[in-house]
Amino acid sequence: MAAVPEEQAGPESGPKHREKHKNKNKKKAAPAVDESELLTVPDGWKEPAFTREDNPRGLLEESSFATLFPKYREAYLKECWPLVQKALGEHYVNAALDLIEGSMTVTTTKKTFDPYAIIRARDLIKLLARSVPFEQAVRILQDDVACDIIKIGSLVRKRETFIKRRARLLGPKGSTLKALELLTNCYIMVQGNTVSALGPFSGLKEVRKVVLDTMKNIHPIYNIKTLMIKRELAKDPELRTQSWERFLPKFKRKNLKKRKEPKKKNTKKEYTPFPPPQPESQIDKELASGEYFLKERQKKRKQMEEIKAKQADAVKRRQEERNKAFIPPKEKPAVKTKKASTEKKIDIEAIKEKVKNAKKKKLGALPEEEVKLKMAADEKKKKKKK
């Protein structure tokens, strides 16, 4: 077959087509994007709000939730209920307060377009029932805020221990709770047997861990230290994909209480295939002692003699205890005190030497060396004057 010349060949077989083909291959072999960058959310990004355009037809069925509230919250709920209705009205959710039954109810309407609005409304009335103020509870209606109600009443058996650990969670003048709120960006309310937390999802996870560890007798200061370190490490973008275990502190329990040994130790007896001997009945005991064959008069007489013997022993013991008060205590033997020796040895020679030295020295006189120095200084002055 004859070769096709370049001029007669189609446009696809030319040199330009080859260059385009090479460029396409280069585009395909582009560097792969790092997976860590794909998984991380860029700073400042927010999920777009759910609007009526996303669900123009609304909801098919009506949903409702109800929750009870304690008696002491009745006065506060009466005051803030118009504000609750106003806040929920923006999301087209109805709210009803029943003071007779002591309950709050939220229901959807025909205008409700957000299906998750009823769940947020349910969380709102739950937080209000758990003594969370309305100013904080209304934040649950925002998209990036969630809540968590942690039940701590059944985690500790003894009531006294429970009160101590709950107070440990609060700290002196609420300092521990304030530190937790700052580190987790959550609002925390400790009330009765529950802990209510309100904030971002990541913060709620940390709050739950700290609360449960505190009720398990782990002091919250250890978790606070760990959270502070994590907060600093999160600022470094290089450490985002690395493990932080080498930076986090590891606390060990030092004061481990030993298990209290019981007073009566039950020692296991050796196993025997034979059953234990049958205990003797009252008739068997009477037969062994011979009382069975006695008449009723003789039995009564014997019982009276035993009672009288017991009474005589009790009277004797009582009399001895009474007589103890009249027994004089034993006196300690008198110890003769040794007379202090008045005679003291006097060193006469030492006294004589002191007297001689005193005669040589005049009262208020300077020592010999100082006198010589003064004399020499006076002579020098006289020479200078001349």
Side-chain angles (χ1 to χ4, degrees):
M1 291 179 70
V4 179
E6 288 183 7
E7 293 176 0
Q8 293 178 4
E12 294 181 359
S13 60
K16 289 181 180 180
H17 175 69
R18 288 171 193 165
E19 286 176 7
K20 285 180 182 179
H21 191 66
K22 284 179 182 178
N23 291 334
K24 282 181 182 180
N25 291 337
K26 283 180 182 178
K27 285 178 183 177
K28 285 180 182 178
V33 182
D34 191 9
E35 288 183 3
S36 62
E37 291 180 8
L38 294 171
L39 293 169
T40 53
V41 179
D43 295 334
W45 182 86
K46 280 188 178 181
E47 192 177 351
F50 193 87
T51 58
R52 185 172 283 281
E53 293 173 2
D54 298 321
N55 187 15
R57 295 183 181 180
L59 305 177
L60 295 172
E61 294 290 335
E62 185 184 299
S63 303
S64 64
F65 289 100
T67 186
L68 300 172
F69 60 87
K71 186 73 175 174
Y72 61 86
R73 291 290 290 170
E74 188 177 323
Y76 179 79
L77 290 171
K78 268 186 190 178
E79 290 177 8
C80 72
W81 198 250
L83 298 170
V84 174
Q85 286 178 326
K86 188 181 177 183
L88 292 174
E90 293 174 4
H91 298 270
Y92 303 103
V93 177
N94 287 336
L97 178 67
D98 191 348
L99 297 173
I100 297 165
E101 290 183 1
S103 67
M104 294 178 281
T105 312
V106 287
T107 54
T108 57
T109 60
K110 289 180 181 180
K111 291 183 180 180
T112 310
F113 59 89
D114 187 358
Y116 200 71
I118 189 66
I119 304 296
R120 292 200 187 111
R122 179 201 65 183
D123 292 340
L124 174 63
I125 58 173
K126 272 188 180 180
L127 291 168
L128 289 170
R130 295 312 311 150
S131 299
V132 177
F134 171 75
E135 292 78 11
Q136 292 291 339
V138 78
R139 287 170 52 210
I140 196 67
L141 299 174
Q142 298 171 15
D143 287 337
D144 56 344
V145 178
C147 74
D148 190 9
I149 296 168
I150 307 155
K151 294 178 181 179
I152 57 172
S154 60
L155 296 175
V156 184
R157 287 184 181 178
K158 291 184 180 179
R159 185 69 183 168
E160 292 174 2
T161 313
F162 169 73
I163 292 163
K164 283 180 184 177
R165 290 181 188 176
R166 189 180 61 182
R168 194 182 292 168
L169 185 64
L170 292 167
K173 297 179 182 178
S175 58
T176 308
L177 199 69
K178 189 69 180 173
L180 269 176
E181 286 181 349
L182 292 169
L183 288 167
T184 57
N185 296 324
C186 292
Y187 173 80
I188 305 165
M189 181 73 184
V190 182
Q191 177 70 23
N193 294 333
T194 57
V195 177
S196 306
L198 185 77
F201 293 97
S202 58
L204 292 175
K205 189 179 176 183
E206 296 294 343
V207 170
R208 178 171 273 275
K209 184 181 179 296
V210 173
V211 169
L212 294 177
D213 284 351
T214 305
M215 301 315 288
K216 289 176 184 174
N217 203 19
I218 298 168
H219 204 280
I221 195 69
Y222 299 125
N223 285 312
I224 287 169
K225 282 183 181 178
T226 308
L227 286 171
M228 288 170 74
I229 294 163
K230 282 182 180 178
R231 195 180 188 182
E232 294 298 319
L233 292 171
K235 294 176 183 178
D236 193 351
E238 292 179 2
L239 296 170
R240 190 174 286 174
T241 56
Q242 296 179 17
S243 177
W244 293 353
E245 286 184 4
R246 55 200 170 115
F247 302 108
L248 300 176
K250 293 177 182 177
F251 303 105
K252 292 180 181 178
R253 285 190 178 185
K254 291 182 180 178
N255 300 329
L256 292 171
K257 289 185 178 180
K258 291 182 179 178
R259 184 177 171 275
K260 290 182 180 179
E261 294 181 358
K263 291 180 180 178
K264 293 179 180 179
K265 290 184 178 180
N266 296 327
T267 54
K268 288 185 178 181
K269 296 177 182 178
E270 292 182 3
Y271 173 74
T272 54
F274 307 105
Q278 193 174 358
E280 291 184 350
S281 63
Q282 188 67 25
I283 295 167
D284 293 336
K285 288 176 183 178
E286 287 178 359
L287 285 168
S289 61
E291 290 180 16
Y292 186 78
F293 303 104
L294 295 174
K295 293 178 181 179
E296 287 185 7
R297 288 181 184 177
Q298 291 173 335
K299 284 180 182 179
K300 284 181 181 178
R301 195 187 303 153
K302 194 175 183 181
Q303 284 175 358
M304 289 298 292
E305 285 174 1
E306 287 175 359
I307 290 164
K308 283 179 181 178
K310 284 180 182 178
Q311 286 176 351
D313 289 338
V315 169
K316 192 178 179 182
R317 253 186 273 114
R318 215 177 294 125
Q319 196 66 34
E320 285 175 0
E321 286 177 3
R322 285 175 184 171
N323 292 337
K324 277 180 184 178
F326 302 103
I327 297 167
K330 290 182 180 180
E331 294 180 358
K332 292 180 181 179
V335 180
K336 291 181 180 180
T337 54
K338 293 181 180 179
K339 291 181 181 179
S341 57
T342 53
E343 295 177 3
K344 290 182 180 179
K345 292 180 180 180
I346 300 166
D347 194 355
I348 297 166
E349 292 180 0
I351 292 166
K352 284 180 180 179
E353 285 180 4
K354 285 181 181 179
V355 171
K356 284 179 183 179
N357 292 331
K359 283 179 180 179
K360 287 178 183 179
K361 290 181 181 179
K362 292 180 181 180
L363 289 169
L366 295 167
E368 292 178 2
E369 292 178 358
E370 289 184 9
V371 172
K372 287 178 181 179
L373 290 168
K374 275 193 175 184
M375 291 284 286
D378 291 337
E379 286 176 3
K380 284 180 182 179
K381 284 179 182 178
K382 284 177 184 179
K383 285 177 182 180
K384 283 180 182 179
K385 284 179 183 180
K386 289 175 180 180

